[in-house]
């Protein structure tokens, strides 16, 4: 394929990757930013979203779009409820001690993965896309649904931004992020805020997963990569910076695609990973973070 | 004094256990001792000095491949390979540290994670010599260690134990030394130690290199003692495991890594005998442990009952 | 895991933990299982119950259970019933070596079988060699016949991937095209395909014009598809793991229905996956290697029906209990055939217990002709005692109306290659 169309394809693929990644990472960024908790189970929440999407879609008769829409509503709600329960039952009692929460969320990850394996099985399962539309460009074809994913992710990210900056709940969350003690002094129920943030973060991961499953598929071990990539995105973007998270997701998604144009796939992955690590080495506070 | 008695007691217990345990458990003990050395290395960086790394699989793999590829491809003597593997861990830690120590906290965690990922992919990329994901099975002639046949259980245990004793002694000496106090100071208050005349970058690099030597030794020993090197040992799972061992056993305790490695090993072994859904049991046990002993087992014991515990 | 197997050793396991709680020394009271005369022969099965191999593991267990039942119904081995002891290795080489240890020393198994993933085989074989316990893998990897392992490791139940691949080249070159692009995962299994298919294609006057190795961490593939040269006639694909659905879907989106090169794949990608799954329409008309036809072919052998009934698989290759539960049909027969191979060898060797292990391996090395029968539902085989590897015939199927239809059967000669090792000259 000629260079121009190839680049176009790499950019389009990169955007799709970035969209899903940004959505997954924003949830982690919220949890990280507000609660200072390293949530190792974030990828498991993502996986759970995908697995539940398959399960829900199985039970909804009628056109594929209906099942998918139902999954988009139901799966994040279930995942959010599980996350809120985990926060109240475990993380709160640990006083959000950074080291203890790492162990606890690793434990949670094992529990969720095993639950998915036991109830859902080890096989990869697809979810039908709400619509099938193949765009034929002069050089190659592209999935219309993938373009929809980009638009949907932008819409959801805008909604999150609006929620955080324009609503009272968002204000409360940001206040808690800046200073937990002062927030408490002003009568904010910090416990409820934390449970809410943890649930919201998990729900965002689940939404990202429901958007992704029609492209990819659900599998009980699928949470590993989103977890690692989300962490990378959150840190590169700068802790707690929504804008930074989106920019970092774009950098990682697109660099991966473009670098793979020039090298063999594995070598491209090596170079892309090393390059992104170097961004942090020379800008340790992340792209948009204030120096700690 | 109490501390010396405790550690001697543990060593005596290990020696006695080797003779009394059925061979399955005796051999597990060898595995746990080597993994404990790895966890000790991790503890030096994370527990004592606050360097939260998620890239220690790279240091373990440096030792494993350093030693394993030498004996397999170059016919190097196992003892020399073990020493070179140990050094490889230290050298890799130097390379990673020079760059990654420009960052701190969670950024350090992510940078080390990504370097380890680069290392993992590099092992796959050069599969012609590394064996890639499938790995390389080392043969019996490649595993003769100064007259000891490491394919036999008894010599294997003694080599593992000697390695563990050296690591334990080094760990104790380190935390009791002046440098050990600098390490703690670095964790508690980097700014103040800077004002006292220490260059945090240099101190942390030294810490990481020591940690790398431990990890490299463990990786090299694992290759020679158990006869296999493979890409899975460089995966992110093997960066998380030593952290888990340390946190379970108790961060910044000398015996915590051994306890954590043993506990985790038998948790999986026992749970998998009860149910095929054993990860659920392991997960629940981790959550329960951390709820009741948030500082790890020895950390909690030290906090509540035995303040002298090193 | 079956309850029967569990109960056999659960009490001693509890004793272990109780002991651990009281301190390491307390475990010394542990008594190892005693082998009584006429007691069941315990055969250890290294199972991928969790981890990336779990889809395969489930079916390996079902097939092995069915074979064990049939063997016991036939009177067991040398009059003694067999009991399968399963241990989960998590599809991890480190844990793999540990469970080899456990099955040999803790459960007192006579031998160990059943491993599929090649990195687990490589990680476990050294320990099996140290313990001097026969280790019979069901992996199809080229690790046994390449000489990388030891005298105690054999693969008597499934043809290795080198032979499978070599057998495909003549048909591909004659029927699909001579200019091939290969897409494969960048790990050992993929490298075997890369090396041996490229060589076999060259021998047929064809050419592999591009090799695209996908890193195993990758979850989407579109960005690599432009690297497929336009003059490609055949796209040879073998992707293992959950990513394969994405791969096929993206291939379809990239080329569009009815366009693009002809596809030839290894069914490994789609084991446990329904070919009629939405998104896999692009596979219609494409060809696959199968060892054992998932959809019962018209010319199936006389024992095919009995085998399917015993394992609980319908004529489409899915579970009789759940039509959406598709089997790993082209691999799982290996556990069945390995168990019958064990029966044959143990009876021939007059095996009575662990002291006869060496004699057992020597007897196995002496076996060569393995005719078709209920013992070998996949087909007749020849065991090569020098390379410890068995060889059989392969089939090629085409996707027609969302089903795999058998179109070709290879001959034994198509997959032949020169011996790379003689294990019989190695010491025990």
């Amino acid at each position: 394929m000629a260079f121009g169309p190839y680049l176009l394809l790499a950019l389009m693929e990169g955007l799709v990757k970035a969209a899903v990644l940004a959505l997954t990472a924003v949830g982690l960024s919220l949890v990280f930013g507000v609660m200072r908790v390293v949530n190792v189970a974030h990828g498991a929440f993502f996986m759970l979203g995908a697995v539940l999407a398959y399960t829900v879609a199985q039970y909804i008769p009628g056109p594929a779009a209906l099942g998918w829409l139902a999954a988009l509503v139901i799966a994040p709600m279930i995942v959010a409820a599980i996350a809120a329960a985990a926060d109240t039952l475990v993380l709160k009692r640990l006083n959000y001690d950074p080291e203890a929460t790492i162990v606890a969320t690793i434990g949670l990850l094992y529990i969720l993965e095993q639950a998915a394996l036991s109830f859902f099985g080890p096989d990869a399962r697809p979810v039908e896309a709400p619509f099938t539309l193949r765009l034929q460009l002069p050089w190659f074809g592209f999935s219309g649904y993938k373009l929809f994913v980009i638009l949907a992710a932008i819409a959801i990210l805008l909604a999150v931004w609006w929620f955080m900056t324009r609503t009272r709940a968002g204000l409360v969350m940001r206040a808690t992020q800046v200073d937990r003690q002062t927030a408490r002094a002003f009568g904010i129920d910090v416990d409820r805020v934390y449970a809410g943030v943890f649930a919201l973060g998990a729900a965002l991961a689940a939404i990202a997963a429901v958007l992704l499953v029609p492209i990819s598929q659900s599998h009980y071990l699928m949470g590993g990569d989103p977890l690692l990539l989300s962490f990378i995105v959150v840190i590169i973007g700068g802790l707690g910076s929504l804008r930074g998270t989106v920019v970092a997701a774009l950098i990682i998604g697109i660099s991966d695609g473009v670098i793979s144009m020039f090298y063999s796939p594995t070598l491209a992955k090596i170079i892309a990973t090393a390059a992104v690590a170097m961004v942090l080495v020379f800008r340790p506070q992340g792209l948009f973070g204030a120096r700690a | 004094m109490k501390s010396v008695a405790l550690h001697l007691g543990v060593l005596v217990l290990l020696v006695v256990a080797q003779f009394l345990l059925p061979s399955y458990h005796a051999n597990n003990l060898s595995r746990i001792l080597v993994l404990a050395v790895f966890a000790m290395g991790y503890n030096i960086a994370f527990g004592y000095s606050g360097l939260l790394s998620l890239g220690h699989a790279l240091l373990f793999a440096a030792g494993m491949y350093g030693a394993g590829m030498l004996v397999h491809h170059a016919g190097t003597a196992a003892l020399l390979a073990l020493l070179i593997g140990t050094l490889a861990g230290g050298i890799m830690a130097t390379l990673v540290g020079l760059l990654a120590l420009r960052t701190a906290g969670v950024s350090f965690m992510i940078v080390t994670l990504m370097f380890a990922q680069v290392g993992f992919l590099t092992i796959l990329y050069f599969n012609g010599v590394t064996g890639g994901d499938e790995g390389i099975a080392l043969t019996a002639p490649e595993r003769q260690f100064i007259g000891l046949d490491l394919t036999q259980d008894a010599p294997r245990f003694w080599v593992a134990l000697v390695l563990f004793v050296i690591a334990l002694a080094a760990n104790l000496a380190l935390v009791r030394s002046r440098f050990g106090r600098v390490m703690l100071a670095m964790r508690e208050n980097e700014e103040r130690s800077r004002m006292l005349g220490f260059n945090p970058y240099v101190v942390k690099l030294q810490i990481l290199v020591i940690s790398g030597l431990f990890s490299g030794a463990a990786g090299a020993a694992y290759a020679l003692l158990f006869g296999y090197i493979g890409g899975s040992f460089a995966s992110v799972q093997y960066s998380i495991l030593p952290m888990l061992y340390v946190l379970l056993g108790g961060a910044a305790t000398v015996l915590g890594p051994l306890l954590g490695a043993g506990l985790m090993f038998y948790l999986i072994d026992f749970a998998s005998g009860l149910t095929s859904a054993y990860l659920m049991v392991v997960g629940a046990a981790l959550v329960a442990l951390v709820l009741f002993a948030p500082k790890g087992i020895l950390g909690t014991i030290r906090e509540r009952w035995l303040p002298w515990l090193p | 895991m079956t309850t029967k197997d569990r109960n056999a050793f659960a009490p001693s396991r509890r004793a272990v933990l109780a002991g651990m709680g009281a301190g390491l020394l307390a475990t010394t009271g542990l008594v190892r299982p005693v082998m009584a005369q006429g007691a069941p022969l315990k055969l250890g099965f290294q199972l991928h119950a969790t981890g990336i191999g779990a889809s395969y593991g489930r079916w390996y267990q079902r097939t092995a259970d069915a074979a064990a039942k049939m063997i016991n119904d036939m009177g067991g081995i040398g009059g003694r019933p067999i009991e399968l002891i399963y241990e989960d290795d998590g599809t991890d080489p480190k844990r793999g070596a540990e469970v080899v240890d456990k099955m040999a020393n803790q459960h007192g198994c006579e031998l160990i079988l059943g491993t599929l993933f090649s990195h687990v085989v490589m990680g476990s074989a050294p320990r099996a060699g140290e313990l001097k316990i026969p280790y019979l893998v069901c992996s199809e990897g080229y690790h046994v016949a390449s000489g990388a392992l030891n005298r105690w490791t054999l693969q008597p139940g499934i043809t290795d991937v080198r032979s499978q691949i070599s057998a495909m080249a003549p048909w591909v070159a004659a029927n699909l095209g001579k200019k091939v692009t290969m897409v494969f995962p960048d790990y050992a299994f993929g490298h075997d395909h890369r090396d041996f298919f490229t060589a076999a294609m060259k021998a047929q006057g064809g050419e592999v014009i591009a090799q695209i190795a996908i890193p195993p961490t990758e979850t989407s593939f579109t960005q690599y598809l432009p690297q497929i040269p336009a003059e490609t006639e055949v796209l040879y694909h073998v992707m293992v793991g959950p990513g394969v659905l994405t791969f096929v879907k993206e291939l379809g989106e990239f080329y569009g229905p009815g366009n693009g090169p002809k596809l030839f794949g290894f069914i490994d990608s789609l084991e446990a996956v329904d070919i009629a799954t939405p998104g896999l329409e692009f596979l219609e008309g494409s060809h696959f290697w199968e060892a054992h036809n998932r959809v019962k072919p018209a010319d199936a052998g006389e024992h095919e029906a009995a085998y399917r009934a015993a394992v609980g698989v319908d004529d489409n290759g899915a579970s009789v209990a759940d039509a959406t539960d598709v089997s790993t049909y082209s691999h799982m027969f290996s556990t069945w055939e390995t168990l019958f191979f064990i029966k044959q060898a143990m009876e021939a060797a007059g095996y009575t217990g662990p002291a006869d292990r060496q004699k057992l391996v020597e007897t196995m090395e002496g076996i060569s002709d393995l005719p078709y029968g209920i013992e070998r539902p996949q087909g007749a085989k020849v065991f090569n005692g020098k390379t410890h590897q068995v060889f059989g015939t392969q089939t090629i199927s085409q996707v027609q109306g969302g089903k795999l239809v058998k179109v070709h059967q290879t001959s034994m000669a198509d997959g032949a290659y020169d011996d790379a090792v003689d294990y019989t000259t190695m010491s025990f």
Side-chain angles (χ1 to χ4, degrees), chain B residues 205-244:
Chain B
L205 190 60
Q206 287 167 328
I207 293 167
L208 205 60
V209 171
I210 296 170
S211 177
L213 290 170
F214 274 68
S215 308
Y222 211 92
L224 297 169
L225 292 180
F226 301 104
Y228 172 73
I229 63 177
S232 65
F233 284 98
S235 67
V236 63
Q237 198 195 343
Y238 285 84
S239 292
I240 294 174
L241 278 179
M243 176 166 69
L244 207 51

Side-chain angles (χ1 to χ4, degrees), chain A residues 120-167:
Chain A
F120 168 80
D123 301 334
R125 304 280 192 179
V127 174
E128 233 176 305
F131 61 92
T132 41
L133 171 69
R134 181 175 171 275
L135 303 173
Q136 179 64 57
L137 285 88
W139 319 277
F140 57 83
F142 202 76
S143 155
Y145 178 76
K146 280 187 175 175
L147 297 180
F148 166 76
V149 167
I150 298 175
L151 296 177
I154 292 173
I156 294 165
L157 287 169
L158 283 174
V160 171
W161 174 79
W162 175 83
F163 175 78
M164 289 304 286
T165 55
R166 296 285 187 273
T167 67

